[in-house]
Amino acid sequence: MPHVRRSRPWQLPERLVTSEPLVLGRRSILAGLGALAASGLVPRPSEAAVPRNPKWTADDRKLTREDLATTYNNFYEFGSHKQIAKAAEALVTKPWRIRIEGLVEKPFELDVDELLTKVELEERIYRHRCVEAWSMVVPWTGFPLARLVELARPLGSAAFLEMQTFLDPKTAPGQRAFWYPWPYTEGLTIAEATHELAFLVTGVYGKPLPKSMGAPIRLAVPWKYGFKSIKSIVRFRFTEERPKTFWEEVADHEYGFWANVNPDVPHPRWSQKMEQPLGEAEKIPTKIFNGYAEWVAHLYPDLRDPVYFR
Ligand code: MTE
């Protein structure tokens, strides 16, 4: 992964940001209101609201402007630079099959639309801290990853959850770069995957997730560096052994499996003490576990062990 850029393409005139009205995406209506919809009693999907979970608000920070968050991206499948939004439009997200396999009672496949009929959507405002030292605050729409784990019915022997992005070099030119270990792979322990903060995202700013941000379904694990939050997921596999992740495979001395945010553990090539919020003039100090320590620190047996912070 390259250094944080010195130029700041996102630095546009500052103005106060207000959240868009919270609206449901088309898919979302299937989730919560399927039966009612048939009766004609519900408003059009775009007018129905997903409830905001007041527990996750990031009060100390301003929401990142939508036009910045959706156009300043890391999505190596579409290029190793930030301006991939246009190229990512080539991704076909409908239909979108998801496979659940490995150490589960019975492997199965389903479409993301069907998955959304089985979950309840909510909105959460999360901080996101990239390992490159830029950050953002966005309102995600989605549901707890724990709910997917529940639907998957893993066996007692499952200790990890591996997740994978689509593989389609025809659509995603970045995947023709043979030196990367495609498809993008990430993993969590079962304790992390079932933690209340681990969130599967299907929308942002009250709209369906844009392709640049990992449509139709991506992960948000806000206490870890952004590369753990894998985009456009097609496969969830429960395993006994720790999965080898994409960035570990590329450079394991720089990007480890755990990747918990810690300002006191520098990246081998740069400091992690400060971060640059997208669209803001000043850098701010980075917090341990990206400010979520009170909820997640107990997941890690020894906080002095730097292995948990790479
Ligand atoms: N997922 C896939 N499949 N491919 C990627 O290149 N980049 C990761 C993560 N998920 C990446 C990915 C990194 S490094 C970050 S910081 C976030 O996505 C960026 O998310 P954003 O573009 O929505 O801000």
Side-chain angles (χ1 to χ4, degrees):
M1 205 172 298
H3 276 282
V4 62
R5 300 163 66 103
R6 282 198 185 282
S7 63
R8 297 182 190 152
W10 63 84
Q11 268 184 1
L12 301 170
E14 257 201 74
R15 60 180 160 85
L16 212 68
V17 181
T18 42
S19 171
E20 294 252 344
L22 308 173
V23 289
L24 268 180
R26 189 192 45 71
R27 278 196 307 274
S28 320
I29 199 78
L30 293 172
L33 306 169
L36 268 180
S39 73
L41 292 174
V42 288
R44 291 210 321 271
S46 63
E47 293 156 6
V50 171
R52 179 176 282 183
N53 184 336
K55 184 163 180 183
W56 311 112
T57 58
D59 281 339
D60 56 328
R61 298 266 303 271
K62 252 189 342 196
L63 275 191
T64 301
R65 279 174 37 190
E66 180 183 349
D67 61 315
L68 295 180
T70 56
T71 57
Y72 184 87
N73 302 105
N74 273 332
F75 203 168
Y76 275 62
E77 284 80 347
F78 296 99
S80 56
H81 52 85
K82 299 292 183 274
Q83 283 71 40
I84 53 75
K86 225 169 157 185
E89 284 304 311
L91 184 63
V92 177
T93 55
K94 206 166 179 40
W96 192 267
R97 300 296 286 173
I98 295 173
R99 176 124 195 102
I100 296 179
E101 61 186 20
L103 299 171
V104 292
E105 279 179 21
K106 193 166 180 273
F108 62 97
E109 225 182 270
L110 82 180
D111 194 274
V112 69
D113 284 350
E114 192 189 344
L115 175 60
L116 289 184
T117 65
K118 300 174 191 291
V119 302
E120 266 178 61
L121 293 178
E122 58 181 277
E123 186 183 64
R124 299 178 175 195
I125 296 176
Y126 273 178
R127 294 179 290 273
H128 174 101
R129 169 57 158 87
C130 178
V131 74
E132 297 163 340
W134 56 268
S135 66
M136 61 180 184
V137 180
V138 295
W140 298 121
T141 307
F143 61 94
L145 176 58
R147 176 70 184 127
L148 181 127
V149 173
E150 186 186 8
L151 293 168
R153 303 166 75 89
L155 303 178
S157 51
F160 296 91
L161 174 57
E162 180 190 86
M163 288 156 276
Q164 266 182 348
T165 297
F166 69 89
L167 180 61
D168 180 6
K170 276 204 198 86
T171 308
Q175 291 185 333
R176 294 176 215 153
F178 59 86
W179 53 91
Y180 284 123
W182 308 108
Y184 199 98
T185 301
E186 259 306 336
L188 296 171
T189 65
I190 295 296
E192 291 173 331
T194 55
H195 187 281
E196 63 171 327
L197 268 168
F199 202 53
L200 279 175
V201 169
T202 56
V204 70
Y205 296 98
K207 300 169 187 167
L209 197 60
K211 293 175 181 179
S212 60
M213 295 186 89
I217 187 162
R218 60 97 51 90
L219 181 69
V221 278
W223 72 97
K224 292 177 178 283
Y225 287 117
F227 65 84
K228 298 291 294 183
S229 291
I230 181 173
K231 295 177 170 183
S232 306
I233 305 169
V234 296
R235 202 160 83 107
F236 294 86
R237 192 167 70 93
F238 292 82
T239 67
E240 216 166 332
E241 291 106 51
R242 194 168 97 183
K244 184 108 179 186
T245 69
F246 182 85
W247 287 111
E248 249 188 316
E249 196 97 41
V250 172
D252 64 354
H253 56 292
E254 301 200 333
Y255 310 106
F257 173 82
W258 299 95
N260 294 305
V261 174
N262 188 341
D264 295 328
V265 178
H267 183 279
R269 291 184 279 133
W270 61 86
S271 163
Q272 294 291 24
K273 287 227 180 290
M274 306 290 285
E275 65 198 58
Q276 176 65 63
L278 293 187
E280 288 182 28
E282 302 296 328
K283 290 188 178 172
I284 58 170
T286 288
K287 294 181 178 163
I288 188 155
F289 294 109
N290 200 21
Y292 297 98
E294 70 177 284
W295 293 282
V296 299
H298 70 272
L299 292 172
Y300 309 101
D302 184 358
L303 296 184
R304 287 161 312 180
D305 187 343
V307 77
Y308 291 116
F309 301 103
R310 262 195 305 122

